[in-house]
Amino acid sequence: MNDGPDWRPVKRVRAFEEVVAQIEEQISTGRLRAGDKLPGERALAAALGVSRPSVREAMRVLEAMGVLVANTGSGPEAGAILAGSAGPALTGVLGLHLGLANFAVDDVVETRLLIESWAVEAAARHASEADLDRLRAIVAAMDAPDVSAEQFNEQDTEFHTAIAELSGNALVATFMRALRDTVRRHQQRAVVELGSNTEALRADHRAILAAIEARDPHAAAEAVAAHLRRAYPRVGRGR
Amino acid sequence: MNDGPDWRPVKRVRAFEEVVAQIEEQISTGRLRAGDKLPGERALAAALGVSRPSVREAMRVLEAMGVLVANTGSGPEAGAILAGSAGPALTGVLGLHLGLANFAVDDVVETRLLIESWAVEAAARHASEADLDRLRAIVAAMDAPDVSAEQFNEQDTEFHTAIAELSGNALVATFMRALRDTVRRHQQRAVVELGSNTEALRADHRAILAAIEARDPHAAAEAVAAHLRRAYPRVGRGR
DNA sequence: AACCACGCTGTGGTCAGACCACGCGATCGC
DNA sequence: GCGATCGCGTGGTCTGACCACAGCGTGGTT
């Protein structure tokens, strides 16, 4: 089994990678928590023995991953603050790789169907009355007579995200939002074709809500599947 | 409905963000494709009218998203090349936010169960004989007498990733790998407790493989669920 | 005494210019 | 012919400087 030395030569370690690694370590060991503020770039550079540009590149990486936000000025709001959610970062990553053809749009929609079916089942099982009120309010807002296409889309996102959150799994909710945003950004780049056909979609929403209200997980999953098949008809064939 | 001006303050646009945006646009419009090589940092800086550090920060962001890799030296391999997969980037993002307590470990395992159940059903439906051979080879390798704990873990990842790839959905496969790596990194930070208990896990793998061979999606999903419940016993209670 | 304007200070953002390590590729010498 | 060597362009790093911005203290004004 031994084919000789075969040692993998040292991996190049760039300065900013070391900085990222150290900050990651502080996070995973709990020494840095959400809400904490990092030292200034100059102080960090001095403490780590690297130059400020290297620290800045590390900041950009962490910022791209949604781990921190950087603010200028002074006061409590200024500086690099650990916070953020993974959502926007995920959306960005997925969108880029969609453009690079590493994924297909159908893959994204299919995955969304898979995740949302599960989420709505969980939601149907243990949604509280307050949760239901929230969904009802969104559905009612979408049924108002004067909603623009943009508002409609916004509230549609709201509705589906709310369902995902009701599943009680924060990661699933984040995935859901990222997938929906990815599809939406992609399709709005092509054509906004739903036009005045929103009635069918709104009816779907009402059906989903009704199934959740009836505590019927299976029916809820079916309703979601039907809804997505209507919204993205091309998916699901051929596989 | 009109509450006054309520204008959003101008979004600050940093130079590197503009650079990232322009590269993203080149990607989504198809002018840049996977495998293409970007101009050198100096040339890009000159072309975009920004300084080299700004270009570099943009590079770091795109690199963190798994969109490009940067190599030194000269020749065809040198420079910033569009390529990569989203996998490592997703793993990094998930791991960091796990550390920041934006997600719970249970969320990750639960999500993995959800996705893998679906994937194995799809795999059971349309795995080719060659696909099955690949799985059989992995299972056989894990049954060898002299596998170390590390090798075992490696091949376990291989097995589950292979199943996800068999689903035919590249995005699901990517998610699967990211979720598994995230869990693995997290648990290996704590305790590697499986010890010599691998026999049960290997039996699970054989059961999963058998269900796929039998083209029984439901049994395959059940087998995967049982396997994950055994591997991560604490999950699934209380929700 | 209350209040407001100014400037100090520290933050991230940007820039210019320089030097280094690396590795391909052409050139030169044998 | 062929191998060692040098050139040159790549990303990686550093220095030092300047800018815009925002909070907050200090000063003068009312």
Side-chain angles (χ1 to χ4, degrees):
Chain A
M1 222 23 148
N2 193 330
D3 295 4
D6 187 30
W7 43 32
R8 213 123 274 280
V10 288
K11 188 184 151 239
R12 298 189 48 239
V13 176
R14 295 172 282 187
F16 83 90
E17 289 176 328
E18 181 63 23
V19 177
V20 170
Q22 288 214 26
I23 295 179
E24 279 185 352
E25 189 190 329
Q26 306 277 322
I27 290 176
S28 44
T29 59
R31 279 195 290 273
L32 278 176
R33 285 194 304 265
D36 289 355
K37 200 162 75 172
L38 263 61
E41 295 179 356
R42 294 165 181 83
L44 212 46
L48 295 172
V50 297
S51 71
R52 208 179 143 212
S54 293
V55 170
R56 285 183 59 78
E57 291 183 16
M59 297 301 214
R60 291 295 88 79
V61 170
L62 294 170
E63 202 176 343
M65 296 205 276
V67 172
L68 60 82
V69 290
N71 296 311
T72 63
S74 73
E77 296 295 309
I81 299 177
L82 265 58
S85 73
L90 284 181
T91 303
V93 172
L94 296 184
L96 249 348
H97 284 89
L98 204 58
L100 285 170
N102 288 340
F103 307 133
V105 184
D106 285 5
D107 286 353
V108 178
V109 175
E110 192 174 51
T111 307
R112 185 184 155 196
L113 171 56
L114 144 68
I115 289 181
E116 191 161 355
S117 297
W118 178 88
V120 79
E121 283 181 23
R125 264 190 221 99
H126 44 57
S128 71
E129 198 54 36
D131 295 335
L132 292 176
D133 278 342
R134 184 171 160 213
L135 292 180
R136 291 189 191 107
I138 298 170
V139 169
M142 295 182 82
D143 281 339
D146 61 341
V147 286
S148 69
E150 189 170 334
Q151 285 175 322
F152 184 87
N153 223 321
E154 198 62 46
Q155 287 158 340
D156 186 74
T157 297
E158 193 70 25
F159 181 75
H160 291 282
T161 305
I163 288 177
E165 284 168 358
L166 260 48
S167 77
N169 185 320
L171 180 56
V172 163
T174 301
F175 273 171
M176 255 299 302
R177 176 157 221 130
L179 291 174
R180 203 208 172 279
D181 285 345
T182 300
V183 172
R184 179 170 144 202
R185 253 207 293 171
H186 186 272
Q187 79 180 3
Q188 108 182 8
R189 186 178 309 280
V191 190
V192 184
E193 59 191 291
L194 49 87
S196 58
N197 246 7
T198 64
E199 173 47 32
L201 299 180
R202 279 184 281 129
D204 286 346
H205 287 175
R206 285 192 292 270
I208 295 170
L209 175 56
I212 298 176
E213 286 174 326
R215 310 280 175 192
D216 187 339
H218 183 69
E222 285 296 320
V224 164
H227 176 50
L228 289 183
R229 267 193 288 271
R230 189 195 308 284
Y232 310 100
R234 291 171 312 130
V235 178
R237 319 274 174 212
R239 220 195 285 285
Chain B
M1 220 28 148
N2 192 330
D3 294 3
D6 186 30
W7 40 32
R8 279 199 171 255
V10 286
K11 190 178 141 232
R12 301 188 47 240
V13 177
R14 295 172 282 187
F16 84 89
E17 290 176 327
E18 181 63 22
V19 177
V20 170
Q22 289 213 26
I23 295 179
E24 279 185 353
E25 189 191 329
Q26 306 276 321
I27 289 175
S28 43
T29 59
R31 278 194 290 273
L32 278 177
R33 286 192 304 267
D36 288 354
K37 200 162 74 170
L38 263 61
E41 295 179 355
R42 295 164 180 83
L44 212 45
L48 295 171
V50 297
S51 72
R52 203 176 147 213
S54 293
V55 170
R56 283 182 61 78
E57 291 185 16
M59 297 300 215
R60 293 293 89 79
V61 171
L62 294 170
E63 201 177 344
M65 296 205 276
V67 171
L68 61 82
V69 291
N71 297 311
T72 64
S74 75
E77 296 295 309
I81 298 178
L82 293 185
S85 75
L90 284 181
T91 303
V93 172
L94 295 184
L96 250 346
H97 285 89
L98 204 58
L100 285 170
N102 288 340
F103 308 132
V105 184
D106 285 5
D107 285 353
V108 179
V109 176
E110 191 175 53
T111 306
R112 184 184 155 195
L113 171 55
L114 143 68
I115 288 180
E116 191 160 355
S117 297
W118 178 88
V120 78
E121 284 182 22
R125 263 189 224 98
H126 43 58
S128 71
E129 198 55 34
D131 296 334
L132 292 177
D133 278 341
R134 184 172 158 210
L135 292 181
R136 290 188 191 109
I138 298 171
V139 169
M142 296 182 81
D143 279 339
D146 61 342
V147 286
S148 68
E150 190 170 333
Q151 285 174 322
F152 184 87
N153 222 322
E154 198 61 47
Q155 286 157 341
D156 187 75
T157 297
E158 193 69 26
F159 181 73
H160 291 283
T161 305
I163 289 178
E165 285 169 358
L166 259 49
S167 76
N169 185 319
L171 180 57
V172 163
T174 301
F175 273 170
M176 255 300 302
R177 177 157 221 131
L179 291 174
R180 207 213 169 273
D181 285 346
T182 300
V183 172
R184 177 168 145 204
R185 253 206 296 171
H186 187 271
Q187 79 181 2
Q188 110 182 10
R189 187 179 309 280
V191 190
V192 184
E193 58 191 290
L194 49 85
S196 59
N197 245 5
T198 63
E199 171 48 31
L201 299 179
R202 278 183 282 127
D204 285 348
H205 287 175
R206 285 192 291 269
I208 294 170
L209 175 55
I212 297 176
E213 286 174 325
R215 309 281 175 192
D216 187 339
H218 183 70
E222 285 296 318
V224 164
H227 176 52
L228 289 183
R229 267 193 288 272
R230 188 196 307 283
Y232 310 102
R234 294 170 310 129
V235 178
R237 318 276 175 212
R239 218 193 285 285

